[in-house]
Each structure stands twice: as C-alpha cells, then as structure tokens.
Amino acid sequence: MRPSTSSEMQGAAMQNAAKRCQQIVVAAKPGTWARGVIMGACLTLAGAAAWANEPTEKEMLAAVQLQFDNVNEAAVERAKRCNNREFNRGGGNPLLAIECLGEGLGGGGVTRDGNIRPTEVSITTFRKIACEKAQGKAGYLCDYVLGFDTNAPNNPTSRYTRVGANSQGRFVKQENRWIRLEE
C-alpha cells in the first residue's frame, strides 16, 4: 500500500468537513437566518479549501501540455510563412530566412514537394514528484519528471529527452485551470 499524498489527505479532510457542514445545516431550523448563514459559511470554507489544494499530476500535465501546444502552433505558423516564401517579400526578411533554413535542416524537415514540415514537440513522459506552496509568490512550486520528443528526423538528443528528466515550475490556478510559470 502506498502512502497517502498531501492532496489525498486534503481531499479527505474536505469531504469530512463537507459532511459535517451538511449535518449542521440539516440540524438548523428550516427557514431561519441561521441556516442560511451556516450554509453560506460552509460553502465559503469548502470553496477556499478547494482553491488551496495543490495541482494534481493530471492538472500539471495539462498546464505543461498547453505550453507545448503553443510551441507547436508557433512552428506551424512559421512553416506556413516559410512555405509562402515570405522571407523573399518586400526587402526580404533575413531572420525568417534563417529560421526557415533551421526548420528545414534541423527541425521538422522538408516534404517531398519541397515544403517545410513544422517541428512538433510531444510529451512522452510526465510524472509529478512533489509540490509545496511557493514562498512569496502565488501558486505551488512543483518538481516533476518531463520527457519529450520531436518529429525532427535528425534529432540526436531524442533518445535522452524521451525518457525524461527532473524539472521544476510554478503552477498557479487561474479561473478553472492551472498554468505553468517560470519559478
């Protein structure tokens, strides 16, 4: 049997508190102001406790995946610009030409028809290690294992990055999802 995590213990404590609140609300006389006040206090405390929980592994993965999705979207846009030969338009754009060259040679490669294929980065391994409340900042500072790979045909590092390495980031809850920030 594995030991309980702090998230699991907090979840169990929240369930116990919710049950106790429900018992108190039911015991209060219906239609009285006290019942409404007790119910409001219970909902407030339950909401605050839920908000204070650290991110789960699934929530952390979703936050990291969002960053990977943004990188992949940027690569698709860059490949479109390269394939449209935007680096030759107007006075030319030497920086875009260098990016296109890098994308074609070291990134996603070139298709048979000569178009540049965008580099796609995908997560191969993700495992939460531990989190603690961030000191002097919002959110939680979390350690995790992250492995990734690309579709780059000549990527010599993929056999090392695929298996994963220890990583760290600060996770902050915004609205209904977690986002990953630099420490």
Side-chain angles (χ1 to χ4, degrees):
M1 183 171 164
R2 68 175 182 80
S4 296
T5 65
S6 63
S7 293
E8 290 170 339
M9 289 187 285
Q10 286 174 343
M14 279 179 38
Q15 286 178 346
N16 290 337
K19 285 179 187 174
R20 184 68 182 129
C21 266
Q22 184 179 13
Q23 291 169 347
I24 293 170
V25 169
V26 169
K29 187 175 179 182
T32 63
W33 65 270
R35 187 174 191 169
V37 169
I38 293 168
M39 187 179 300
C42 286
L43 291 173
T44 301
L45 291 173
W51 190 260
N53 284 341
E54 69 185 35
T56 64
E57 181 174 277
K58 185 177 179 181
E59 292 167 329
M60 290 171 60
L61 173 58
V64 173
Q65 182 64 56
L66 181 63
Q67 290 183 316
F68 276 65
D69 292 345
N70 291 337
V71 168
N72 289 337
E73 285 176 29
V76 167
E77 287 303 313
R78 184 175 45 251
K80 284 180 187 176
R81 293 179 67 202
C82 294
N83 292 331
N84 290 332
R85 310 294 189 249
E86 288 184 25
F87 52 84
N88 278 340
R89 297 208 179 123
N93 184 341
L95 293 178
L96 180 58
I98 292 170
E99 288 180 15
C100 294
L101 186 62
E103 193 73 32
L105 294 176
V110 179
T111 63
R112 289 180 186 211
D113 59 358
N115 284 326
I116 291 177
R117 183 178 27 244
T119 303
E120 296 174 18
V121 185
S122 59
I123 296 174
T124 57
T125 303
F126 190 91
R127 189 176 73 251
K128 176 181 175 180
I129 298 172
C131 294
E132 69 178 6
K133 187 80 178 118
Q135 299 297 316
K137 295 181 181 179
Y140 290 85
L141 187 60
C142 299
D143 294 323
Y144 55 94
V145 173
L146 174 66
F148 60 92
D149 200 1
T150 70
N151 66 336
N154 300 319
N155 183 2
T157 63
S158 68
R159 68 178 180 184
Y160 303 109
T161 60
R162 199 177 302 130
V163 294
N166 293 338
S167 299
Q168 188 175 69
R170 186 163 53 100
F171 291 80
V172 178
K173 191 160 193 174
Q174 284 196 328
E175 295 174 15
N176 61 348
R177 68 177 181 181
W178 289 87
I179 60 170
R180 184 193 175 281
L181 302 171
E182 296 302 317
E183 300 170 37

